[in-house]
Amino acid sequence: MASWNSVFLSWLKNFSNIFKYKMDEVQLGSHTIRSHGFAIARTHMHDWLILVLLVVIWVVILIIHPFYRFVGKDMMDDLRYPLQSNTVPVWAVPMYAVLLPVLIFIFVYIRRRDVYDLHHAVLGLLFSVLVTAVITDSIKNAVGRPRPDFFWRCFPDGKDVYDKWGNVICHGDKSVIREGHKSFPSGHTSYQSI
């Protein structure tokens, strides 16, 4: 009867042969965009369609109005920070989260000439960015937490108005007020954690 060690070593040898065969099959440096680009795009068409679906979902989420939670007069003391433009420009987040990694992927592609690595890296990056965007903006819309500068978004003239229950009656720009209900979670932090 065979010992446990010999059975294990036999299994390990067969297992390593599986990976050896797979490694021999791939020849690094021979798969360029010109030679294999169309084939890889066709093979992964369903991935790109799911990516387009994520973009559509994200656009719909951006159009939907966030939850308008109760914001009373006694809460306004914490929400009176001055209304300023973004401290981190809107263009900077996609630049660092998408464009910079794609440039690095292209640099690696130029050196290695492996379209599979380029394709999977770009596809994985776009999936992670879009899934993060959908989750973050969904939570923002569901929570509806006011931003620290909500008072000045709601009352740009500084004259606050409340209904009989003590809730705010905003008279500022509708789009500015709408963005004022999207404080949590931080979009910049979400994209930087990718």
Side-chain angles (χ1 to χ4, degrees), residues 19-88:
F19 288 108
K20 183 179 178 188
Y21 173 72
K22 293 289 185 189
M23 291 302 290
D24 291 342
E25 185 179 346
V26 176
Q27 298 171 2
L28 295 177
S30 63
H31 301 116
T32 63
I33 292 175
R34 184 173 294 174
S35 66
H36 289 80
F38 181 73
I40 194 170
R42 190 179 61 223
T43 303
H44 294 278
M45 185 61 67
H46 61 281
D47 293 331
W48 289 101
L49 291 175
I50 292 171
L51 204 65
V52 169
L53 179 66
L54 280 172
V55 170
V56 170
I57 292 170
W58 183 51
V59 168
V60 168
I61 289 171
L62 291 177
I63 295 171
I64 294 174
H65 289 278
F67 173 69
Y68 289 106
R69 67 164 51 186
F70 177 84
V71 181
K73 188 172 189 172
D74 57 338
M75 299 169 68
M76 281 297 179
D77 291 337
D78 296 332
L79 305 175
R80 287 185 184 258
Y81 284 85
L83 178 61
Q84 299 174 346
S85 61
N86 289 332
T87 53
V88 177

Side-chain angles (χ1 to χ4, degrees), residues 56-179:
V56 170
I57 292 170
W58 183 51
V59 168
V60 168
I61 289 171
L62 291 177
I63 295 171
I64 294 174
H65 289 278
F67 173 69
Y68 289 106
R69 67 164 51 186
F70 177 84
V71 181
K73 188 172 189 172
D74 57 338
M75 299 169 68
M76 281 297 179
D77 291 337
D78 296 332
L79 305 175
R80 287 185 184 258
Y81 284 85
L83 178 61
Q84 299 174 346
S85 61
N86 289 332
T87 53
V88 177
V90 175
W91 59 266
V93 174
M95 176 78 74
Y96 293 124
V98 178
L99 190 59
L100 185 62
V102 167
L103 289 176
I104 293 170
F105 298 156
I106 291 172
F107 175 74
V108 170
Y109 168 74
I110 289 170
R111 294 188 49 99
R112 292 189 56 193
R113 297 283 182 207
D114 191 1
V115 72
Y116 291 100
D117 286 346
L118 177 65
H119 175 266
H120 297 331
V122 170
L123 189 65
L125 175 71
L126 293 177
F127 262 110
S128 64
V129 167
L130 285 172
V131 167
T132 300
V134 167
I135 291 172
T136 301
D137 289 332
S138 297
I139 295 171
K140 281 179 179 277
N141 283 346
V143 172
R145 180 177 175 192
R147 294 185 183 273
D149 58 5
F150 186 74
F151 178 86
W152 296 107
R153 289 175 181 267
C154 192
F155 312 116
D157 57 359
K159 298 177 184 173
D160 49 341
V161 181
Y162 303 93
D163 63 13
K164 64 181 179 178
W165 295 283
N167 197 14
V168 295
I169 301 175
C170 295
H171 54 268
D173 183 16
K174 298 288 184 197
S175 64
V176 174
I177 295 168
R178 184 174 161 205
E179 283 300 311

